Amino acid sequence: MTVNPSRKHLVLLGAGRAHLQVLKSLARQGSANMSVTLVAPHPYYIEAGMLPAHVAGDCALEDLRVPLDRLVEASGAAFVPAHVLSLDATGRRVQLSSGDALPYDVLSINVEPAVPREQIEEQMPGARRNALFTHPLENFVQLWPQLQSLAQERALQVAVVGSDVPAIELAMAVAHALAAPHGSRVTLVAGDTPLLADLPALQRRVLARLKSLNITVLQDRCAGMDGRALQLASGATLTCDAPLVAGGAATPAWLRQAGLQASDAGEPVVNERLQSDSHRQIFIVPDGAPLEVGPVLDANLRTAIAGGTFKKAPPESSRLRVVACGDGHAIAVWGPLGLEGREVGHWKDRRDRRQLAALFSA
């Protein structure tokens, strides 16, 4: 693709929440002093927070999967449907699966977490061939109906592999969705560490809800799978028709290998302005960052292009934890205080839909 050399070029990698807010700002304020390119694998945004509701049958796919075309067109940005292959931070260039080597003056990264399939295959041999991964979300929502159809024919033994809140929500949503007509059963393979051990108020309510849905929780690690069963680290075997891997998502390899200043764990370090400490023209927003980050990112990208004063990203202050329970119920916990039930589920649904609509409203 061609880039206007007389204007600064802003490249947005990924169609995450913060980037949608940047596009919305461009649609309102314009981009007279820069060219903007959005790069994303698919021309859709999928709201991850609404995925359990979709799996449970409480919302349609079109409720959480929104086309990007109208927002991109209104923003004046160019759209490149491609995966990132590599980032040359020194040469300020991004190599894409489309064949483009895309130059940039300022780069912003707000991508979906990647599943390191080779690493997961080493930990769980057979996973690449036999498991359904929740990431990329676009692939998961395309394949999920096949599992639903199979459950209409016979009872399935489903195992969800993961221990964080998204894995717990998925297990409960799957249990609700596949219970009828044949009584499919769900097991949550949650690893060695007790589930939600650092959140005791949430742990108590979640464990009770899992029990009420007849979901078995195994504090064991998956050590392999062959399409008929999971091999567990304890030496036990778990019969399994359909393993769903809901954990293991991480920073994409191309970003970890870009030569940016990184933590001991290999994660790129960003400052309070969302910039890479070593490459100040690169901004990084983690997937799932709070909505308050979007306007800060937008302002700082404009400052990086045209000059001015940078803003600080707000600290993550909310202690509210909300867990969807897969049947219209939800659990909300604030410190030691908690509520649960359909009223909480309705509140979560209204909040999620309102926030999603706001991202795409004029």
Side-chain angles (χ1 to χ4, degrees):
M1 64 175 295
T2 57
V3 177
N4 186 342
S6 65
R7 305 170 76 192
K8 294 289 184 71
H9 189 206
L10 168 63
V11 173
L12 308 175
L13 297 183
R17 275 186 178 189
H19 280 177
L20 298 187
Q21 291 172 286
V22 171
L23 293 174
K24 186 175 176 180
S25 172
L26 289 168
R28 289 196 309 263
Q29 302 182 40
S31 55
N33 61 342
M34 59 181 167
S35 299
V36 182
T37 301
L38 172 69
V39 178
H42 307 283
Y44 300 98
Y45 170 76
I46 296 179
E47 177 49 60
M50 294 174 67
L51 183 66
H54 172 62
V55 169
D58 294 332
C59 71
L61 180 57
E62 57 267 25
D63 292 333
L64 71 153
R65 181 176 180 261
V66 184
L68 296 171
D69 52 353
R70 290 179 61 184
L71 181 58
V72 171
E73 183 178 356
S75 72
F79 176 66
V80 179
H83 295 272
V84 177
L85 299 181
S86 63
L87 166 60
D88 177 1
T90 302
R92 299 193 184 188
R93 194 171 295 271
V94 182
Q95 185 63 49
L96 305 178
S97 61
S98 61
D100 291 309
L102 197 60
Y104 64 84
D105 295 291
V106 175
L107 180 70
S108 183
I109 302 169
N110 184 204
V111 295
E112 182 179 344
V115 176
R117 299 198 178 210
E118 292 183 5
Q119 180 182 336
I120 291 177
E121 181 67 20
E122 290 178 5
Q123 298 168 350
M124 296 182 282
R128 295 187 72 168
R129 176 185 293 272
N130 297 294
L132 173 57
F133 292 83
T134 53
H135 290 281
L137 292 172
E138 176 67 24
N139 291 4
F140 180 81
V141 299
Q142 293 294 330
L143 294 172
W144 166 246
Q146 298 179 26
L147 186 57
Q148 285 181 297
S149 296
L150 189 58
Q152 292 296 309
E153 300 172 7
R154 62 182 177 89
L156 300 178
Q157 299 293 328
V158 181
V160 175
V161 180
S163 60
D164 57 7
V165 168
I168 295 167
E169 290 184 315
L170 180 65
M172 291 193 281
V174 171
H176 178 69
L178 303 187
H182 299 294
S184 296
R185 296 294 301 272
V186 176
T187 299
L188 179 62
V189 182
D192 302 318
T193 305
L195 209 60
L196 302 174
D198 57 335
L199 299 166
L202 186 60
Q203 180 191 53
R204 175 174 53 82
R205 292 176 181 271
V206 164
L207 289 176
R209 199 70 198 159
L210 289 166
K211 184 177 180 180
S212 73
L213 290 168
N214 296 315
I215 297 172
T216 301
V217 179
L218 293 182
Q219 296 294 172
D220 206 340
R221 288 184 296 106
C222 177
M225 57 187 72
D226 61 9
R228 298 181 301 276
L230 301 190
Q231 301 302 318
L232 303 178
S234 63
T237 299
L238 175 67
T239 300
C240 177
D241 303 296
L244 308 183
V245 175
T251 301
W254 57 262
L255 182 51
R256 293 171 67 96
Q257 297 164 3
L260 307 183
Q261 182 176 335
S263 67
D264 292 340
E267 297 294 327
V269 175
V270 295
N271 59 30
E272 57 194 4
R273 298 182 296 275
L274 305 172
Q275 291 171 302
S276 164
D277 269 342
S278 57
H279 296 74
R280 295 299 175 94
Q281 74 280 5
I282 296 178
F283 294 75
I284 304 173
V285 177
D287 180 70
L291 284 170
E292 294 79 12
V293 167
V296 175
L297 176 68
D298 174 58
N300 287 351
L301 293 177
R302 292 178 180 273
T303 296
I305 290 285
T309 303
F310 287 104
K311 294 185 176 181
K312 296 180 180 180
E316 213 173 325
S317 57
S318 176
R319 296 165 54 223
L320 178 66
R321 306 272 184 164
V322 184
V323 177
C325 298
D327 55 356
H329 285 68
I331 299 168
V333 170
W334 180 282
L337 305 176
L339 291 172
E340 60 183 288
R342 288 194 175 276
E343 294 81 3
V344 180
H346 292 327
W347 171 81
K348 180 183 186 302
D349 179 67
R350 290 194 302 271
R351 182 199 64 172
D352 291 345
R353 291 174 185 267
R354 184 173 62 249
Q355 289 181 349
L356 182 58
L359 290 173
F360 288 90
S361 63

